[in-house]
Amino acid sequence: VLRLYEEVAKQVHCPLGVYNNPATTGVDISANLYMKIQEVCTIAVTKDGAGDITRISELKSLGNKNMSYLCGTESQSLPSLMMGADGCCNAINSVIPNLIIRIYHSVRSGDTMSALKIFENLQPLYRFIRTYGVVRTTKSIADLLGRSFGPHRSPLKKLNFDTVTALRQIVNDIE
């Protein structure tokens, strides 16, 4: 991973973004690896989907204060914001942005109880995501809202009618 960033830094002379997605890549970029990457190039932002809520404070304690930290795990949005994340960059935000924006503003204004109420209201959706996956869930909600995100790529398949009906009810209940 470090060699990749060394090579990119030789070719690109601007700050970079890091996307830590261990579920897809099989590699988790630890706080120490982030710091090593910072030695070979400037990281402006990271979207961290590792689901490790302690990573934010660990990075900040190591002195990486110039990098914006975006939570990349839907169900970690509130805890990440409360731990100091700069924002959330989750697939589900593209179909239900207002709720995440309300959580963000509530945390930033110190109204953690309002943020917690919204977050708790999202739990059925997060359970659904854990069962059916974020891509299938997000695409299905987009379809329900009349905003197609295109076909599912193999090997993913569309959710069946009964599952979409259950998802529709969850979406109706949270909005």
Side-chain angles (χ1 to χ4, degrees):
V1 172
L2 186 57
R3 276 182 288 182
L4 167 70
Y5 284 95
E6 288 171 341
E7 290 301 314
V8 171
K10 289 178 190 174
Q11 302 297 318
V12 178
H13 303 289
C14 63
L16 302 176
V18 173
Y19 181 15
N20 186 25
N21 190 354
T24 301
T25 64
V27 176
D28 184 11
I29 301 174
S30 67
N32 287 331
L33 183 51
Y34 273 114
M35 298 312 289
K36 288 178 183 174
I37 293 169
Q38 280 270 326
E39 291 172 10
V40 299
C41 64
T42 302
I43 302 174
V45 64
T46 183
K47 174 183 175 180
D48 198 306
D52 180 355
I53 196 68
T54 64
R55 183 82 39 92
I56 303 161
S57 59
E58 186 176 10
L59 284 169
K60 290 184 181 209
S61 75
L62 289 172
N64 202 343
K65 297 185 182 5
N66 294 323
M67 179 182 72
S68 293
Y69 187 99
L70 303 177
C71 171
T73 305
E74 280 79 5
S75 62
Q76 295 290 320
S77 57
L78 176 60
S80 293
L81 289 168
M82 292 180 74
M83 294 285 292
D86 298 293
C88 301
C89 184
N90 307 318
I92 207 71
N93 297 0
S94 62
V95 290
I96 56 162
N98 294 338
L99 296 171
I100 304 305
I101 291 168
R102 286 176 46 211
I103 289 173
Y104 174 85
H105 286 298
S106 295
V107 170
R108 291 296 178 256
S109 70
D111 186 2
T112 54
M113 290 310 295
S114 291
L116 182 59
K117 282 175 118 175
I118 300 164
F119 187 71
E120 287 173 346
N121 198 34
L122 287 167
Q123 292 310 306
L125 179 60
Y126 294 151
R127 282 192 297 278
F128 191 95
I129 288 170
R130 283 192 294 276
T131 302
Y132 296 101
V134 69
V135 173
R136 294 170 75 199
T137 301
T138 303
K139 283 180 172 274
S140 295
I141 293 173
D143 289 343
L144 288 170
L145 298 174
R147 295 185 260 147
S148 176
F149 287 177
H152 292 273
R153 289 184 292 176
S154 185
L156 297 179
K157 301 207 181 313
K158 286 182 85 167
L159 299 174
N160 67 40
F161 178 81
D162 291 340
T163 305
V164 171
T165 300
L167 179 58
R168 178 182 288 114
Q169 185 62 52
I170 291 169
V171 171
N172 288 341
D173 288 348
I174 63 172
E175 290 198 330

PDB file of all heavy atoms in Angstrom, residues 1 15 23-24 94 170 174:
ATOM      1  N   VAL A   1       0.840  -1.192   0.000  1.00  0.00           N
ATOM      2  CA  VAL A   1       0.000   0.000   0.000  1.00  0.00           C
ATOM      3  C   VAL A   1       0.879   1.247   0.000  1.00  0.00           C
ATOM      4  O   VAL A   1       0.627   2.184  -0.758  1.00  0.00           O
ATOM      5  CB  VAL A   1      -0.965   0.005   1.205  1.00  0.00           C
ATOM      6  CG1 VAL A   1      -1.694   1.330   1.329  1.00  0.00           C
ATOM      7  CG2 VAL A   1      -1.953  -1.129   1.113  1.00  0.00           C
ATOM      8  N   PRO A  15      -2.525  17.292  -2.976  1.00  0.00           N
ATOM      9  CA  PRO A  15      -2.954  16.432  -1.863  1.00  0.00           C
ATOM     10  C   PRO A  15      -3.843  15.287  -2.363  1.00  0.00           C
ATOM     11  O   PRO A  15      -4.586  15.436  -3.328  1.00  0.00           O
ATOM     12  CB  PRO A  15      -3.741  17.377  -0.965  1.00  0.00           C
ATOM     13  CG  PRO A  15      -3.232  18.734  -1.303  1.00  0.00           C
ATOM     14  CD  PRO A  15      -2.902  18.689  -2.776  1.00  0.00           C
ATOM     15  N   ALA A  23     -13.069  -4.213   3.719  1.00  0.00           N
ATOM     16  CA  ALA A  23     -13.991  -5.270   3.306  1.00  0.00           C
ATOM     17  C   ALA A  23     -13.831  -5.572   1.815  1.00  0.00           C
ATOM     18  O   ALA A  23     -14.022  -6.712   1.379  1.00  0.00           O
ATOM     19  CB  ALA A  23     -15.428  -4.873   3.617  1.00  0.00           C
ATOM     20  N   THR A  24     -13.491  -4.565   1.037  1.00  0.00           N
ATOM     21  CA  THR A  24     -13.330  -4.730  -0.405  1.00  0.00           C
ATOM     22  C   THR A  24     -11.894  -5.058  -0.786  1.00  0.00           C
ATOM     23  O   THR A  24     -11.643  -5.902  -1.638  1.00  0.00           O
ATOM     24  CB  THR A  24     -13.770  -3.444  -1.139  1.00  0.00           C
ATOM     25  OG1 THR A  24     -15.130  -3.187  -0.803  1.00  0.00           O
ATOM     26  CG2 THR A  24     -13.650  -3.587  -2.636  1.00  0.00           C
ATOM     27  N   SER A  94     -26.585   9.265  -0.028  1.00  0.00           N
ATOM     28  CA  SER A  94     -27.007   9.735  -1.346  1.00  0.00           C
ATOM     29  C   SER A  94     -28.510   9.596  -1.555  1.00  0.00           C
ATOM     30  O   SER A  94     -29.065  10.218  -2.462  1.00  0.00           O
ATOM     31  CB  SER A  94     -26.254   8.985  -2.447  1.00  0.00           C
ATOM     32  OG  SER A  94     -26.538   7.604  -2.389  1.00  0.00           O
ATOM     33  N   ILE A 170     -39.574   0.523   6.007  1.00  0.00           N
ATOM     34  CA  ILE A 170     -38.504   1.091   6.853  1.00  0.00           C
ATOM     35  C   ILE A 170     -38.250   2.543   6.443  1.00  0.00           C
ATOM     36  O   ILE A 170     -38.173   3.430   7.300  1.00  0.00           O
ATOM     37  CB  ILE A 170     -37.211   0.256   6.745  1.00  0.00           C
ATOM     38  CG1 ILE A 170     -37.408  -1.118   7.420  1.00  0.00           C
ATOM     39  CG2 ILE A 170     -36.016   0.992   7.342  1.00  0.00           C
ATOM     40  CD1 ILE A 170     -36.293  -2.109   7.148  1.00  0.00           C
ATOM     41  N   ILE A 174     -38.811   6.054   8.729  1.00  0.00           N
ATOM     42  CA  ILE A 174     -37.719   6.926   9.196  1.00  0.00           C
ATOM     43  C   ILE A 174     -37.828   8.339   8.659  1.00  0.00           C
ATOM     44  O   ILE A 174     -37.192   9.233   9.172  1.00  0.00           O
ATOM     45  CB  ILE A 174     -36.319   6.354   8.876  1.00  0.00           C
ATOM     46  CG1 ILE A 174     -36.085   6.231   7.376  1.00  0.00           C
ATOM     47  CG2 ILE A 174     -36.082   5.072   9.610  1.00  0.00           C
ATOM     48  CD1 ILE A 174     -34.677   5.849   7.004  1.00  0.00           C
TER      49      ILE A 174
END
